Amino acid sequence: MKVLVAVKRVIDFNVKPRVKMDGSGVDLANVKMSMNPFDEIAVEEAIRLKEKGNATEIVAVSVGPAKAQETLRTALAMGADRAILVQTDDEVEPLAVAKILAKIAEEEQPGLFILGKQAIDDDSNQVGQMLAALLGWPQGTFASKVEPQGDHVSVTREVDGGLETVKLATPAVVTTDLRLNEPRYASLPNIMKAKSKPLATKAPGDFGVDTTPRLEVLKVTEPAKRQAGDKVGSVDELVAKLKTLGVVA
Amino acid sequence: MKTLVLVEHADGAIKDATLAAVTAAAKLGEVHLLVAGKGVDSVAAAAAKIAGVGKVHVADGAHLEHQLAEDVAPVAAALMADHDAFLAPATTTGKNIAPRVAAALDVMQISDILSVEGADTFTRPIYAGNAIATVKSKDAKKVITVRGTAFEKAARDGGSGSVEKVDAGSHDGKAEFVSAEISKSERPELTSAKIIVSGGRAFGSSDQFHSLLDPLADKLGAAVGASRAAVDAGYAPNDYQVGQTGKIVAPELYIAIGISGAIQHLAGMKDAKTIVAINKDEEAPIFQVADVGLVGDLFKIVPELTDKL
């Protein structure tokens, strides 16, 4: 079966984002960008399925600016076979991304579409579920284990309180949680090889999807700052302090 | 405006996160509830008693027992013909179902709201809580998930809603529930606990994590949490994880022990009323947000603290 993987170019997770003074957004000029960490897990899982003989071809897909090519090259260097960039400089909301991905899924006919559970920039956690709904496919969100078995896939999900296992008829959508796997690093020879793998560039208009935002961002502000408090020197002082604050009896 | 709130329930009991969603919904207008499940008459009766609730829509069917998104979302989407907003708690259940409802209605979802600023304007955290966005929805109908710790919980009694059966839909058949493995705990639930003691990688082993933290938690009547590092190292199960990718908590008191305070962890707990940090590294970022800090060896401090409380 063919596996599609969606990847997003986002601010590197180690960078502390800075809110712009004018409240228009987060400053991304000259900030290190990387593949969304949950998407790395998605790519890794697709590669492992191929290594186990479950997947025949892996296609990495991204919606974003020209520079998202670098993110796709990273996926290719990890082991994806080819890539599709839907290039746009506009901010594309999860609903529009899901619509574009749904069109690509209809063209490519994958058995599995793997995405990260959320992007660490907008923290929406929506695209996978919306994609599944648009296609009428079942969904295995927050996956910590994915096992294809014939015409279905068994997905263990991380839910509040523990784990849940569901059996999904393929084609299906899976979104990855942190503990699904540990993504590999691309080796230098593979990074070189990735440069010659096919990467098709498209535009949202090619899929007839309107990307006009439905949500208007009025402003972006810094969260209320916490004041660092006092350090105490001993457990006795700590206990006394907690009693003064009234948090313990 | 008529709102429809998804009731999250398990073993016949309504979860606290639902009550916060009811409070958010009441800011928008008339509150209706959706109870979906199998044999949920008692849940529906309890839901009707929640303060401020109007109608309780009950979808009862064997295929809804495990509240799979594939089966619940169409029921909610059908009810949205008569409602203006759909709200779900931002729990794994709500996050699983709500975007499917939004896509069915062709509207954008507003995830994890912190406040209601107006009928179409909300605030929500982005970049792991490092920025707060105020967003205005241009969609005719709103689909929203609600951060449980950002709203007061509606009272469980005092309401007198009417219960009405609705079409439970049919089984999608493409998704089947197989099994669940729920961690057993006598302690309070992490997301609703007043006090949380949380441990990091510094504990060194699962045995030390539990032998040191559990007595302290029991003494305080607290829930036990963990950093991602502690979970990845296998010291605690994954549902203990506090942070951007785990649970978001806002207890009265959060005691972070052996946790350095990475931004992903802070995103999950920085709204706690009082934060106490115990760490041997006085440069650890956790001390920048802690109200009270103690620099030292947790293996000495934790037993002493447990003794003296």
Side-chain angles (χ1 to χ4, degrees), chain A residues 99 126 136 139 141 165 226, chain B residues 70 96 106 111 174 179 272:
Chain A
K99 286 179 181 178
Q126 300 174 9
Q139 67 190 37
T141 51
T165 303
R226 284 191 81 100
Chain B
E70 293 81 354
N96 193 37
D106 191 30
S111 296
K174 291 179 182 169
S179 62

Side-chain angles (χ1 to χ4, degrees), chain B residues 219-244:
Chain B
K219 196 103 179 218
L220 289 164
V224 178
S227 69
R228 185 186 165 195
V231 171
D232 282 351
Y235 305 166
N238 66 288
D239 55 307
Y240 278 42
Q241 189 187 320
V242 172
Q244 184 186 16

Side-chain angles (χ1 to χ4, degrees), chain A residues 11 13 15-17 19 26 28 38 93-95 99 117-118 120-126 129-130 132-134 136-139 141-142 157-169 177-179 213-223 226-236 238-239 241-242 245 247-248, chain B residues 68-70 91-92 95-96 99-100 102-103 106-111 121 124 126-139 174-183 195 220 228 231-232 238-239 241 244-245 247 253 263-264 270 272-276 282 287-295 301 304-305 308-309:
Chain A
I11 187 168
F13 76 102
V15 176
K16 186 167 163 58
V19 174
V26 166
L28 296 177
F38 291 102
E93 289 174 344
L95 179 63
K99 286 179 181 178
K117 79 164 175 181
Q118 75 189 58
I120 60 162
D121 52 1
D122 64 13
D123 286 335
S124 287
N125 195 330
Q126 300 174 9
Q129 295 90 316
M130 287 178 160
L134 293 171
W137 292 3
Q139 67 190 37
T141 51
F142 324 135
R157 309 177 51 232
E158 296 199 5
V159 295
D160 295 335
L163 300 170
E164 177 184 287
T165 303
V166 290
K167 187 176 138 185
L168 311 174
D177 215 322
L178 281 171
R179 266 163 295 279
R214 307 289 188 86
L215 301 180
E216 185 189 348
V217 178
L218 300 180
K219 64 176 180 202
V220 175
T221 53
E222 283 207 21
R226 284 191 81 100
Q227 294 294 322
D230 305 324
K231 287 213 178 91
V232 293
S234 69
V235 171
D236 287 321
L238 173 60
V239 173
K241 186 95 185 178
L242 289 176
L245 288 166
V247 283
V248 297
Chain B
L68 296 179
E70 293 81 354
T91 54
T92 49
K95 288 173 182 174
N96 193 37
R100 251 187 121 98
D106 191 30
V107 304
M108 250 306 284
Q109 173 181 301
I110 307 147
S111 296
T121 308
R124 59 174 305 263
I126 52 175
Y127 292 89
N130 283 292
I132 308 295
T134 306
V135 297
K136 184 175 172 172
S137 167
K138 292 185 251 181
D139 283 316
K174 291 179 182 169
E176 302 288 348
F177 172 87
V178 177
S179 62
E181 208 180 295
I182 301 302
S183 345
I195 302 179
L220 289 164
R228 185 186 165 195
V231 171
D232 282 351
N238 66 288
D239 55 307
Q241 189 187 320
Q244 184 186 16
T245 55
K247 294 207 170 83
L253 173 62
I263 58 173
Q264 293 81 4
K270 66 181 169 48
K273 192 158 164 250
T274 302
I275 298 174
V276 171
E282 62 180 310
F287 286 120
Q288 291 163 22
V289 299
D291 300 280
V292 187
L294 178 54
V295 178
I301 292 171
E304 191 185 342
L305 180 61
K308 288 182 173 165
L309 278 168

Side-chain angles (χ1 to χ4, degrees), chain B residues 185-195 221-224:
Chain B
S185 176
E186 301 287 304
R187 298 198 181 85
E189 207 186 29
L190 200 51
T191 46
S192 55
K194 286 204 163 57
I195 302 179
V224 178

